[in-house]
Amino acid sequence: MFLAGHRGMVGSAIYRQLQEAGYNNIVVRTRSELDLTDQAAVRTFMEQEKPELIILAAARVGGIHSNNTFPAEFIYQNLAMQINIIDQGWKVGCKKLLFLGSSCIYPKFAEQPMRESALLSGSLESTNEPYAIAKIAGIKLCESYNRQYGLDYRSVMPTNLYGQNDNFHLENSHVLPALIRKFHEAKLANAKAVTVWGTGKAMREFLHVDDMANACLHVMELDKEKYQSVTEPMLSHLNVGSGVDVTILELAEMIKKTVGFQGEISWDTSKPDGSPRKLMDSSKLHALGWQPKISLEEGLKQTYQWFIEHQDDFKH
Ligand code: GFB
């Protein structure tokens, strides 16, 4: 089995759970060992390893500001990695693959909660459209290769993820790790206020990365017939969410409490809110027997503890 992206937040959580589940044949490569955007390098790797199963958890990811600032890198790098891995994997005989996407594939004003069938039913959110187009292409690559070559390439679309090994960069990360770091540093500095982006009214659904990793193993291990009992050939992806969303204001209040910051919250409304809401309907995955286990409150405590233990790695 080839696990692409084993050092990322999701890939590392999948790696831990695969090892715990007793998989001992997992092939991994660091970025310096294998550049997944390099087609020739991926071809050589695939010809050597001939993986029977691939988990595609490698991606160029980031928060709203990063997506908005580096759109070319987000669309190019994700498309290149997906095309190389999916096509070269198929060419060496890989029949089964799990592709990880994102909830931003759905239209900006999709009906809530968003069902899998909302895909391609409206315009995307502009801050992350290039990333979303790449992820939609990933789903369509899997579906097309399945249809033409009779493969079993599956896709899961996680909601906003968080947890250990997240990126805690102040500008380029997602909201939850960014706010953990901002509130923590404000507490240490005895600051009067922490500035949070946007209006605070946008809503987000958060899922702990260990729940996501568990969902990936669950989906990967399902019988083909069972997976196909809830999907269709041209609608083959499954949503993975916690089922609960909060406003960014509520999230900021929760993080403030978890960190123990005593000051105020101020709002920088010059920064974009992004999608107003993107709550997933994960009922198809529930019907297949998966449920999340980690509440946001508990997950925040765990993630803050992990951040405290690793904060020296984030002094950049
Ligand atoms: O997490 P985030 O960057 O991702 O932002 P998206 C979520 C919301 O939090 C937005 C607000 O309304 C932000 O304006 N926010 C408040 C902050 N303070 C901060 C802060 O300090 N940092 C950040 N980053 N946000 C991303 C997509 O969108 O979600 C990706 O761009 C991907 O493509 C990912 O889909 C899951 O949910 O808006």
Side-chain angles (χ1 to χ4, degrees):
M1 168 194 321
F2 173 43
L3 170 60
H6 74 291
R7 283 198 166 165
M9 175 174 68
V10 189
S12 60
I14 295 174
Y15 199 26
R16 285 194 300 277
Q17 288 195 17
L18 285 170
Q19 287 170 321
E20 279 162 23
Y23 287 85
N24 52 15
N25 54 349
I26 314 160
V27 175
V28 293
R29 290 288 183 277
T30 62
R31 193 173 305 181
S32 59
E33 290 166 342
L34 176 62
D35 175 0
L36 294 170
T37 66
D38 179 341
Q39 188 178 43
V42 174
R43 181 185 302 133
T44 305
F45 165 79
M46 290 291 185
E47 283 169 356
Q48 276 164 3
E49 296 296 335
K50 297 194 173 40
E52 286 174 10
L53 172 66
I54 296 174
I55 300 181
L56 208 179
R60 169 70 194 260
V61 299
I64 193 166
H65 176 74
S66 183
N67 268 267
N68 228 355
T69 313
F70 308 108
E73 293 174 25
F74 274 83
I75 191 163
Y76 173 74
Q77 291 178 13
N78 285 303
L79 282 174
M81 286 189 265
Q82 293 163 193
I83 285 171
N84 292 343
I85 292 173
I86 291 171
D87 187 61
Q88 301 302 328
W90 162 69
K91 283 190 174 132
V92 300
C94 174
K95 297 221 160 36
K96 193 165 170 183
L97 179 145
L98 184 70
F99 169 65
L100 277 70
S102 165
S103 63
C104 67
I105 59 161
Y106 295 115
K108 176 167 186 169
F109 298 112
E111 192 184 320
Q112 306 286 317
M114 303 182 298
R115 298 167 62 87
E116 285 84 353
S117 55
L119 183 64
L120 295 175
S121 64
S123 305
L124 297 163
E125 153 62 25
S126 60
T127 53
N128 55 32
E129 188 188 77
Y131 176 75
I133 298 258
K135 290 296 186 183
I136 293 170
I139 299 173
K140 294 298 163 190
L141 273 162
C142 291
E143 288 172 353
S144 304
Y145 277 58
N146 285 346
R147 278 168 67 211
Q148 191 171 341
Y149 304 128
L151 306 176
D152 184 11
Y153 286 11
R154 306 177 184 186
S155 301
V156 280
M157 299 299 122
T159 190
N160 290 38
L161 301 173
Y162 71 96
Q164 71 181 74
N165 281 332
D166 206 343
N167 168 14
F168 289 81
H169 192 277
L170 289 170
E171 294 284 317
N172 293 332
S173 69
H174 290 99
V175 59
L176 193 150
L179 293 188
I180 286 183
R181 181 166 167 189
K182 285 182 186 173
F183 279 106
H184 178 72
E185 291 182 354
K187 181 176 87 168
L188 297 186
N190 264 322
K192 286 208 168 63
V194 164
T195 304
V196 181
W197 299 349
T199 62
K201 291 183 183 142
M203 298 190 78
R204 291 293 181 272
E205 177 189 22
F206 295 97
L207 181 74
H208 193 279
V209 70
D210 288 345
D211 276 332
M212 176 60 193
N214 183 260
C216 288
L217 265 69
H218 188 89
V219 169
M220 187 187 85
E221 288 171 348
L222 286 170
D223 289 348
K224 192 172 176 182
E225 291 69 34
K226 204 151 186 213
Y227 182 75
Q228 290 179 345
S229 70
V230 298
T231 61
E232 293 161 34
M234 290 306 285
L235 194 66
S236 70
H237 59 287
L238 288 178
N239 290 343
V240 190
S242 61
V244 186
D245 62 351
V246 293
T247 64
I248 297 302
L249 168 63
E250 287 166 334
L251 178 75
E253 297 282 5
M254 285 177 85
I255 295 177
K256 180 180 155 177
K257 190 170 156 216
T258 305
V259 170
F261 173 65
Q262 303 291 335
E264 304 293 316
I265 297 175
S266 65
W267 297 92
D268 177 359
T269 51
S270 70
K271 295 283 198 304
D273 270 347
S275 287
R277 192 178 184 198
K278 38 182 179 173
L279 179 65
M280 301 269 235
D281 179 333
S282 305
S283 51
K284 285 191 180 203
L285 190 51
H286 293 168
L288 293 172
W290 175 86
Q291 292 286 342
K293 296 192 182 85
I294 305 169
S295 69
L296 181 55
E297 204 171 30
E298 186 190 335
L300 277 179
K301 279 190 203 142
Q302 279 182 24
T303 308
Y304 181 46
Q305 189 55 40
W306 189 89
F307 171 75
I308 290 173
E309 286 160 18
H310 296 83
Q311 56 179 310
D312 291 344
D313 305 344
F314 302 108
K315 295 278 177 239
H316 49 70

